[in-house]
Amino acid sequence: MSACTSSAGFRVDEVTLPSTGTLTSFATAWVPRTGLLCPYVLGQVDIGAGAMVFAHIRGLPDDAGTPVAVRLALNPNRPPDRASGSNTRSSQPNKKDHPMSENVPEAAVAEYKRGFACVDGEFVPAATASVSIFDHSFLYGDGVFETIICRGGRLFALRPHLDRLWASCQYLQITPPYDQEQITAFITELAKRNELSDGYVRVVISRGEGYPVSDPRKALKSKLVISMQGAPAVTRPPDVGVKLAIASTRRTPPICLEPRVKSNNYLNHIVAKLEAIAAGADDAIMLDLEGNVAELPVANIFARHGDTLATPPSNGILAGITRETILRLVAEGAAGPGLRVVQRVMTAYDLFTAAEVFIVGTGSGVAFVESIDGRRIGDGTMGPATKRLMDAYTELLGRDGAEPDLQLTTKEA
Ligand SMILES: Cc1ncc(COP(=O)(O)O)c(C=O)c1O
């Protein structure tokens, strides 16, 4: 292995560097740096003959001390398990080996581990925050969650999200470990520590730790985890439509698991999404047991025929907060004069024959549907009602203090 052959313009002798060394000291860096997953470890490596190099250390065990034998590599993109020493373990998966890795932006993967998380009221580095391996949410999906959008330092519809979280807890007979005011205070403090301006807040309540069986009575103390993820205001170019596929996997009916509960068990949604990915689509449309349109894995759906917008009724789906907001915006005339909205049973026919179809959700915002099962919807571009509602929704997210019940200022006044 050789490095540079000139330094500050002076010619230097070229020598072959060893490919191993001894890590003599290291520190964990929390300051984000392009291309490095934060936090990352920097260390001083003794390479013999009195020479030291300063290197990015990967795969170091959490309990590592010094000295540690390490392998040196100049290629920073080399997978960590091959670049690190034999007495170290890899802490990062090799993304390139993953069949769906091209769909995960590198920056997003790094982003969610930055900053702090809140676990039962304690503020801890997000990358090392942990819950018990005996936690019922980890073992059985026995918990609930909410994802809340933050724009310009403001949390949108915090109260409705917390109310839905409470309803989910109530249905599953989980007693929240803190009240809504305490959770709001934790979110506010965490947003301040993370300097969150644009992104998402995730609030998770698990039934808590309990083992060795799924009996909910084994878990005596519920657990709260709050995490945050920075994300730009626009993630999908507005002129790029969503390609959907109708999944054969049906949305869980209320007789199996009430779909209005936002539980930590998303396998129904994930299996449908896997089908859509296999079909070359971006996302799945899930039908109910009767074959009527229900929703997407994490979004609701609307279709326009003439001056009528339609969306499936709120029982049988997760009645999204964005969906509620859109219903209200349409009622206020934001989708255009004369346009009305109805909640009614819909089939695939209603989607294929629509002038425009769009999806709504905290993650997706308002996005137009370009095709379903390869069939173009409308003329395949964004329709006028979608455009107006997308603009109105974006404006509402950024509106300052207009609706105190819907918005919370996370920045200090
Ligand atoms: C199944 C399902 N439907 C719809 C939505 C949209 O809901 P919201 O607008 O509250 O984000 C979500 C959001 O995660 C969801 O998981």
Side-chain angles (χ1 to χ4, degrees):
M1 184 176 73
S2 61
C4 65
T5 54
S6 70
S7 180
F10 293 102
R11 234 0 261 162
V12 293
D13 289 335
E14 196 174 337
V15 294
T16 301
L17 291 173
S19 57
T20 56
T22 305
L23 179 68
T24 55
S25 65
F26 64 89
T28 302
W30 285 93
V31 182
R33 214 187 125 168
T34 309
L36 291 181
L37 199 64
C38 197
Y40 51 94
V41 176
L42 292 173
Q44 188 168 287
V45 180
D46 186 341
I47 56 169
M52 294 277 195
V53 293
F54 199 56
H56 172 208
I57 309 296
R58 300 197 286 193
L60 200 62
D62 293 337
D63 57 352
T66 53
V68 178
V70 291
R71 186 118 44 95
L72 294 162
L74 277 177
N75 180 357
N77 293 324
R78 210 163 152 188
D81 49 352
R82 275 182 277 146
S84 57
S86 58
N87 61 344
T88 64
R89 68 169 165 77
S90 167
S91 62
Q92 296 171 23
N94 181 4
K95 259 185 83 209
K96 292 202 168 49
D97 291 342
H98 196 281
M100 292 183 227
S101 62
E102 72 276 10
N103 295 319
V104 183
E106 196 73 53
V109 172
E111 179 63 39
Y112 75 83
K113 287 193 174 179
R114 290 202 182 124
F116 294 90
C118 175
V119 181
D120 277 344
E122 298 284 322
F123 297 95
V124 288
T128 53
S130 62
V131 292
S132 164
I133 61 165
F134 304 114
D135 188 278
H136 268 222
S137 203
F138 174 69
L139 293 173
Y140 308 112
D142 189 1
V144 298
F145 78 104
E146 283 296 322
T147 305
I148 306 155
I149 190 167
C150 184
R151 285 287 168 262
R154 308 183 66 78
L155 288 174
F156 179 71
L158 177 67
R159 184 62 58 198
H161 277 288
L162 291 182
D163 286 346
R164 187 168 67 184
L165 187 72
W166 248 245
S168 298
C169 280
Q170 199 172 351
Y171 178 82
L172 295 176
Q173 299 177 54
I174 294 174
T175 307
Y178 300 93
D179 63 29
Q180 291 198 6
E181 280 60 46
Q182 288 169 309
I183 292 179
T184 302
F186 293 148
I187 294 173
T188 307
E189 175 60 24
L190 192 61
K192 204 162 73 183
R193 289 186 187 219
N194 287 331
E195 296 177 356
L196 186 73
S197 175
D198 294 317
Y200 299 93
V201 177
R202 192 182 184 99
V203 183
V204 181
I205 293 179
S206 163
R207 196 180 298 276
E209 188 177 328
Y211 201 62
V213 291
S214 61
D215 186 339
R217 291 170 301 183
K218 290 281 176 189
L220 294 176
K221 192 178 178 319
S222 58
K223 194 158 199 75
L224 170 75
V225 176
I226 309 171
S227 59
M228 294 184 171
Q229 182 199 343
V234 178
T235 45
R236 169 183 286 273
D239 57 333
V240 175
V242 184
K243 297 184 182 69
L244 299 179
I246 299 178
S248 67
T249 302
R250 298 295 170 90
R251 183 71 174 97
T252 314
I255 47 166
C256 294
L257 175 63
E258 174 56 62
R260 279 175 283 191
V261 173
K262 198 164 162 66
S263 82
N264 279 349
N265 188 328
Y266 258 53
L267 288 181
N268 179 225
H269 318 232
I270 287 169
V271 172
K273 176 98 181 183
L274 284 170
E275 278 190 54
I277 293 167
D282 300 315
D283 217 333
I285 295 175
M286 302 175 80
L287 309 179
D288 65 17
L289 283 188
E290 280 72 48
N292 299 315
V293 175
E295 58 182 330
L296 274 68
V298 288
N300 296 122
I301 192 161
F302 286 77
R304 181 180 70 80
H305 291 82
D307 58 7
T308 303
L309 273 171
T311 192
S314 62
N315 55 338
I317 59 170
L318 184 88
I321 282 155
T322 321
R323 175 184 176 279
E324 278 303 317
T325 308
I326 294 300
L327 291 174
R328 188 159 52 88
L329 286 172
V330 177
E332 289 168 1
L339 216 77
R340 65 184 191 115
V341 65
V342 292
Q343 299 181 52
R344 67 168 173 84
V345 172
M346 296 168 71
T347 67
Y349 171 88
D350 298 301
L351 301 179
F352 289 138
T353 57
E356 54 187 304
V357 173
F358 59 90
I359 60 167
V360 303
T362 297
S364 58
V366 178
F368 82 93
V369 174
E370 184 184 305
S371 66
I372 298 173
D373 286 350
R375 297 164 68 147
R376 208 172 60 176
I377 301 301
D379 66 1
T381 64
M382 191 184 322
T386 312
K387 173 83 178 88
R388 288 197 190 101
L389 287 167
M390 181 189 279
D391 291 346
Y393 178 66
T394 307
E395 197 266 330
L396 185 63
L397 291 185
R399 199 183 293 168
D400 204 20
E403 294 163 273
D405 61 328
L406 292 182
Q407 300 185 27
L408 170 84
T409 301
T410 58
K411 283 177 181 163
E412 280 185 313

